[in-house]
Amino acid sequence: MREVININNNWKFHKGGSGIKTPPKKAGKNWENVKIPHTWNNKDGQDGGSDFWRGKGWYIRDINVDIDFTQRVYLEFRGVSMLAEVYVNGAKVYTHKGGFSTFRVNITPFLKKNKATIAVMADNSADTQIYPQNADFTFFGGIYRAVNLIIVKSSHFDLDYYGSPGIAVTPIVNQDGTADVKVQAYLKNASGCMVRFKTAGTNKISTDGKASLHIKEPHLWNGTDDPYLYEMTAELIKNGSVVDCVTQKYGIRSFSVDAEKGFFLNGKSYPLHGVSRHQDRLDKGWAITKEDHKQDMELIKEVGANTIRLAHYQHDQYFYDLCDEAGMVVWAEIPFISEFMNTPTAEFNTLSQMKELIIQNYNHPSIVCWGIANEITIGGVSDELFKNLRALNDLCHQLDKTRLTTIANLGAVEPDSPMNRITDLVSYNHYFGWYLGSVEDNGPWLDEFHRMNPDICLGLSEYGCEGIPAYHSDNPQIKDYSEEYQAYYHEKMLKTLSERPYLWSTHVWNMFDFASDIRDEGGVKGRNNKGLVTYDRKIKKDSFYIYKAFWSGEKFVHLCGRRFADRTNETISVKVYSNCESVTLFENGEEIETKNADKIFIFENIKLKKGENIFRAVSGKCEDEITLHLTDTPNNGYSFTDSSVSPDTDVSNWFEK
């Protein structure tokens, strides 16, 4: 039977290739002891300067396995950035191009007495063959996801097929309410074998690795309301014995998108409102743990999102599992982003990464669409670009006939552009109210696009603005980077989006601040600060709570401005975000006023006394408290000033610089 052994521990690491013979036979004296997940850019990739180290890093460790001649040993890598070369006992056995997908290597022929020295070269250098190479996020190097040994019999579920889990499960909901679950196994050395498929109390024996199982009363996977999951177990039987077994969770659901009415799940309107997510963390880069993934999901659930755009690359399998379990509707995409590299090898790399994304994630019920590109027209359009995009779109439909394709277009793409006629769905990255114009421009633009293209399913794949928790203002303005302007912007956007049911999905950019070493904005180097939550996940900005008020059913009250503690105005307005019907405000223990409002409660003309003022907002069992100080001296730390930015110009986007 299959055995999976994690080998994250006991690796030696050396950054750089100087003085290293290829491949190294053993670690040098100056090599570090490291544990996977690991990256060499966890600090320099987040400090700005566009100078994070890009190059080769070497990893090495010994393994010792107990196998016989009927068994095979595979190395499984869940993520190595961006180019990986694998050596076993000095022999080069595999090269993988792509920093985000699982790949496996059959090392059985290279073992010596069941022992081996494994050497891995990870390279995040600039490379015109591998996407991405230019984007608004840091390309962290290293073996940053788990490494496993997988031991199987010579007859087994295929471990070589693009990192596949071994079976592909396709649930189909019938018009009579029943479901047929089609399943296909990918097999290796399976002559004379049979496969037994088992799910939902039924089973079927197959001689060709394919089967269809009927479920009379399926329990549907129904988003965040009821994300019910089934299990499909496949047993490979040879000479009457089970020689390999895999189990995959799946969900039974149907979905559709209407250009006028938006997204439907299981035949019912299900408006998609959610966030985008990058996978990095403060001082960790991409080398994050299961606990980090869990915390991210808990925060996304708390804000009340029901959809996640997993940008701009394939994420960890564990996070897709969490999406399935939480009922999140997912947009999954490849890093065909920003800069089109017009070469045959680069085009092949986009197709290869798309194959891995789809084949490895096919069974996740959370995923409803495959994203083929993001802002790929930054450098202009060409016939070669359209050819590459169409090839990706066709590949998606060839590999998966059950899901839709989408693209995230740059805001500058005109509504009548042929870029909007390639994929099944279209979304835009629009930043009216930050990079150009005002936040009020979003609605008219969306309406005009919809008028011009009534047959196109339109969404908003990115929108947002910077909000740095250190900066505050009584009169928030665009470009002041204040927490208050970010909250104001999102208040306006929530109203704009709620009035346009034709949008098939909307995704805030971003759920979390993330590293972008090219950036130096608002006095913060190396950071994109558009998150609703800070990079270290410790601060939920005020904007987090306006979304929670609109999206979440969990009753709460939140007093805004807790980090805007020092005030110089004797009379202020106090703002509360809540999904309760009424909120009562107390100041220094004295009841001030009870208000009824919809999500945003503003208490005006509140007098402050010198020194400390304690405010408490209460609605039933929900309450929140902040302390403000009336002072004669302004807190200069609340303002960001940059003499290089004119007050009558817009914030520059990263690629304009």
Side-chain angles (χ1 to χ4, degrees):
M1 291 291 288
R2 175 176 301 216
E3 184 179 6
V4 180
I5 304 169
N6 180 266
I7 55 169
N8 282 351
N9 296 325
N10 303 319
W11 289 85
K12 297 281 190 177
F13 169 72
H14 181 79
K15 187 172 79 171
S18 60
I20 296 179
K21 293 181 180 180
T22 305
K25 293 184 178 179
K26 62 180 181 179
K29 292 182 180 179
N30 62 336
W31 287 42
E32 297 178 53
N33 295 313
V34 299
K35 180 180 179 180
I36 308 300
H38 175 263
T39 178
W40 56 75
N41 298 119
N42 57 312
K43 295 297 181 67
D44 71 351
Q46 64 183 25
D47 62 0
S50 194
D51 58 354
F52 68 99
W53 193 83
R54 300 183 72 175
K56 297 178 180 180
W58 282 93
Y59 297 82
I60 195 167
R61 69 157 287 170
D62 295 329
I63 63 167
N64 187 359
V65 293
D66 183 16
I67 62 168
D68 60 39
F69 71 95
T70 68
Q71 294 176 299
R72 304 290 181 267
V73 180
Y74 281 79
L75 270 173
E76 179 184 70
F77 297 88
R78 293 296 183 95
V80 182
S81 174
M82 296 280 179
L83 171 71
E85 293 179 354
V86 181
Y87 298 81
V88 180
N89 288 329
K92 184 177 180 180
V93 298
Y94 199 77
T95 299
H96 184 260
K97 297 178 180 179
F100 306 99
S101 55
T102 293
F103 66 93
R104 304 188 186 107
V105 188
N106 182 358
I107 65 172
T108 315
F110 304 93
L111 296 175
K112 295 179 180 179
K113 296 182 180 179
N114 292 347
K115 297 181 180 180
T117 297
I118 309 297
V120 182
M121 189 276 290
D123 189 352
N124 70 335
S125 303
D127 188 324
T128 57
Q129 301 181 52
I130 305 172
Y131 284 98
Q133 289 304 320
N134 191 12
D136 184 21
F137 59 95
T138 300
F139 307 149
F140 294 91
I143 304 178
Y144 69 93
R145 292 187 191 146
V147 184
N148 298 311
L149 284 173
I150 303 177
I151 302 173
V152 291
K153 294 291 186 180
S154 58
S155 298
H156 56 270
F157 291 99
D158 197 350
L159 291 164
D160 294 300
Y161 183 56
Y162 294 100
S164 161
I167 57 174
V169 184
T170 308
I172 300 171
V173 180
N174 301 315
Q175 290 186 347
D176 63 1
T178 64
D180 290 308
V181 181
K182 299 181 184 299
V183 58
Q184 176 178 351
Y186 304 112
L187 305 173
K188 200 68 171 283
N189 301 323
S191 177
C193 294
M194 298 184 298
V195 182
R196 179 164 53 219
F197 297 107
K198 299 189 294 185
T199 190
T202 65
N203 68 83
K204 186 169 288 189
I205 296 288
S206 169
T207 57
D208 63 358
K210 299 179 181 180
S212 180
L213 295 89
H214 187 68
I215 301 178
K216 290 183 178 180
E217 297 180 354
H219 189 158
L220 299 183
W221 186 91
N222 201 32
T224 56
D225 293 334
D226 185 12
Y228 185 82
L229 295 172
Y230 286 89
E231 280 192 352
M232 175 69 73
T233 297
E235 297 173 333
L236 185 63
I237 301 170
K238 187 172 186 178
N239 298 326
S241 298
V242 177
V243 294
D244 196 12
C245 178
V246 294
T247 297
Q248 284 282 288
K249 291 185 177 180
Y250 69 95
I252 300 174
R253 83 286 186 269
S254 64
F255 65 88
S256 62
V257 184
D258 184 274
E260 193 63 40
K261 299 178 181 179
F263 187 83
F264 286 75
L265 180 64
N266 298 323
K268 297 180 180 179
S269 177
Y270 192 78
L272 294 180
H273 50 256
V275 298
S276 297
R277 183 226 188 202
H278 268 300
Q279 65 183 356
D280 57 315
R281 286 220 172 195
L282 182 68
D283 296 333
K284 292 184 176 183
W286 290 342
I288 60 176
T289 65
K290 282 190 172 183
E291 288 69 29
D292 295 328
H293 286 296
K294 285 180 181 178
Q295 185 185 28
D296 279 7
M297 179 55 74
E298 290 305 311
L299 287 165
I300 293 171
K301 287 164 60 178
E302 182 185 348
V303 84
N306 64 6
T307 178
I308 308 174
R309 180 184 174 208
L310 292 177
H312 290 296
Y313 38 75
Q314 183 170 333
H315 286 233
D316 194 298
Q317 277 295 317
Y318 181 67
F319 199 79
Y320 292 108
D321 291 340
L322 292 177
C323 291
D324 294 341
E325 294 166 6
M328 295 292 165
V329 172
V330 169
W331 165 334
E333 64 188 49
I334 60 169
F336 190 27
I337 177 173
S338 304
E339 180 181 346
F340 174 52
M341 299 184 293
N342 186 17
T343 67
T345 52
E347 179 179 359
F348 178 83
N349 185 248
T350 66
L351 298 171
S352 174
Q353 292 202 50
M354 184 61 79
K355 284 182 181 178
E356 291 175 321
L357 176 70
I358 294 175
I359 291 168
Q360 292 174 22
N361 294 284
Y362 184 86
N363 298 331
H364 292 288
S366 56
I367 298 174
V368 300
C369 61
W370 306 114
I372 67 170
N374 176 80
E375 295 188 346
I376 198 61
T377 59
I378 283 176
V381 297
S382 64
D383 291 342
E384 291 81 5
L385 173 59
F386 280 104
K387 173 179 173 290
N388 199 158
L389 290 169
R390 291 188 182 105
L392 282 166
N393 190 66
D394 291 344
L395 176 64
C396 291
H397 289 307
Q398 175 190 335
L399 293 174
D400 185 355
K401 301 185 186 308
T402 70
R403 292 183 175 91
L404 303 172
T405 56
T406 191
I407 190 169
N409 278 333
L410 188 68
V413 173
E414 294 295 336
D416 60 354
S417 168
M419 285 290 293
N420 293 318
R421 297 287 173 177
I422 298 172
T423 50
D424 303 316
L425 311 170
V426 170
S427 282
Y428 267 77
N429 299 347
H430 256 314
Y431 290 94
F432 292 118
W434 188 247
Y435 292 125
L436 75 165
S438 69
V439 67
E440 287 80 11
D441 295 331
N442 285 280
W445 189 96
L446 293 168
D447 290 341
E448 179 61 11
F449 183 101
H450 185 54
R451 184 193 68 78
M452 292 177 62
N453 303 283
D455 61 324
I456 291 179
C457 298
L458 174 66
L460 202 54
S461 39
E462 292 183 22
Y463 66 96
C465 70
E466 305 266 325
I468 299 174
Y471 301 145
H472 302 283
S473 174
D474 284 313
N475 184 31
Q477 303 289 328
I478 187 172
K479 295 182 302 185
D480 66 7
Y481 293 89
S482 69
E483 189 173 9
E484 285 71 33
Y485 179 76
Q486 188 191 43
Y488 164 82
Y489 168 94
H490 285 295
E491 289 176 14
K492 297 299 183 182
M493 287 303 298
L494 275 162
K495 184 176 187 300
T496 296
L497 302 181
S498 66
E499 294 171 347
R500 288 162 175 83
Y502 60 79
L503 294 171
W504 79 267
S505 70
T506 61
H507 294 93
V508 177
W509 192 259
N510 195 284
M511 180 65 190
F512 307 105
D513 293 346
F514 60 91
S516 180
D517 204 50
I518 62 175
R519 282 184 173 258
D520 182 1
E521 287 195 56
V524 179
K525 297 180 184 296
R527 192 75 46 81
N528 189 311
N529 298 286
K530 294 186 183 69
L532 306 181
V533 178
T534 54
Y535 194 29
D536 58 7
R537 278 53 171 181
K538 291 183 179 180
I539 295 176
K540 301 168 189 172
K541 304 175 191 179
D542 283 344
S543 53
F544 175 97
Y545 290 96
I546 185 58
Y547 280 98
K548 184 173 180 178
F550 272 77
W551 292 350
S552 175
E554 177 191 358
K555 295 297 182 182
F556 78 100
V557 293
H558 171 77
L559 274 159
C560 299
R562 69 193 57 238
R563 284 165 288 278
F564 189 10
D566 298 332
R567 305 295 182 99
T568 56
N569 295 331
E570 292 185 3
T571 303
I572 65 169
S573 293
V574 175
K575 183 188 291 185
V576 176
Y577 292 148
S578 178
N579 51 12
C580 300
E581 293 183 1
S582 65
V583 172
T584 302
L585 182 69
F586 295 83
E587 182 183 12
N588 299 319
E590 180 181 345
E591 182 175 334
I592 302 298
E593 186 180 1
T594 297
K595 274 188 174 291
N596 294 319
D598 183 20
K599 313 296 191 296
I600 304 169
F601 299 75
I602 299 177
F603 298 86
E604 298 177 311
N605 299 315
I606 304 299
K607 301 288 186 180
L608 298 180
K609 65 179 181 65
K610 283 290 185 181
E612 185 177 85
N613 296 265
I614 300 174
F615 289 92
R616 189 162 63 96
V618 179
S619 181
K621 296 181 179 180
C622 303
E623 63 178 80
D624 192 25
E625 184 174 289
I626 63 172
T627 300
L628 306 181
H629 300 89
L630 180 60
T631 176
D632 295 327
T633 306
N635 188 328
N636 293 328
Y638 288 165
S639 299
F640 168 68
T641 55
D642 185 348
S643 59
S644 67
V645 179
S646 171
D648 58 355
T649 61
D650 295 313
V651 176
S652 295
N653 210 331
W654 69 274
F655 54 83
E656 296 173 325
K657 298 178 181 179

